[in-house]
Amino acid sequence: AAAAPAARAAYDLPAGLPVLLVSGGSQGARSINTALAGAVDELLAAGVSVLHVLGQANFTDDLVARTHAGTGAAYRPLDYVDRMEQAYAAADLMLGRSGAGTVMETAMVGLPTVFVPLPHGNGEQARNAGFLVEAGAGVLVPDADLSPGLLAATVLGLARIVHSPFGEV
């Protein structure tokens, strides 16, 4: 929490609004990026800023930073983040894969997370996040279920909780 103001300033994110960090890891995640593309306008209109780490292979010139005129919420797309601790400090909530590194890092910094496990493999990514989901520190959304509508509804519901005037839950 002490690092949040400087971290938000580093990414040109507004103070006082919830921030969603979206990352599919260093390579990005197409399904997460696609769902966010369909939900970002709704999130910004609701006053949720988005720090979006797309992965270098997924970053294109048409992805530009913007700020919602009505709410002041900001969308900040990045190809890569080399100081992930700063991105975590800027965020109130994260949406990402549930690889072992991400699960442990978000647990260590206390960042509530919407986990979207890889849709292949032996289910290890869902199991990675299991202890946080069971503890109420995260939610699990199957990759096949992730849509712009579900993403927006899930994030907006959680953002109201983690950014409430009563403190973090």
Side-chain angles (χ1 to χ4, degrees):
R8 287 182 181 208
Y11 293 112
D12 193 25
L13 294 164
L17 294 176
V19 174
L20 171 68
L21 169 62
V22 179
S23 176
S26 61
Q27 300 301 311
R30 185 174 300 130
S31 60
I32 291 174
N33 292 342
T34 300
L36 180 65
V40 70
D41 290 336
E42 184 176 350
L43 296 174
L44 296 176
V48 175
S49 291
V50 179
L51 180 60
H52 187 187
V53 185
L54 290 109
Q56 293 174 325
N58 302 308
F59 192 83
T60 59
D61 291 338
D62 63 328
L63 294 164
V64 295
R66 63 184 192 269
T67 301
H68 190 276
T71 65
Y75 174 70
R76 302 293 183 250
L78 301 168
D79 61 345
Y80 183 79
V81 171
D82 59 0
R83 293 197 55 211
M84 202 62 190
E85 78 282 0
Q86 189 175 47
Y88 288 145
D92 295 294
L93 179 65
M94 181 173 179
L95 170 71
R97 292 288 188 211
S98 49
T102 299
V103 169
M104 294 311 297
E105 289 168 0
T106 57
M108 290 300 297
V109 299
L111 186 61
T113 304
V114 178
F115 293 108
V116 183
L118 282 168
H120 49 79
N122 64 8
E124 70 275 9
Q125 283 207 349
R127 287 192 301 278
N128 288 344
F131 75 102
L132 290 175
V133 172
E134 290 173 17
V139 296
L140 196 70
V141 174
D143 191 84
D145 294 348
L146 187 64
S147 67
L150 180 61
L151 187 156
T154 302
V155 166
L156 292 176
L158 293 172
R160 288 183 186 95
I161 294 170
V162 300
H163 202 264
S164 80
F166 303 107
E168 293 187 7
V169 174

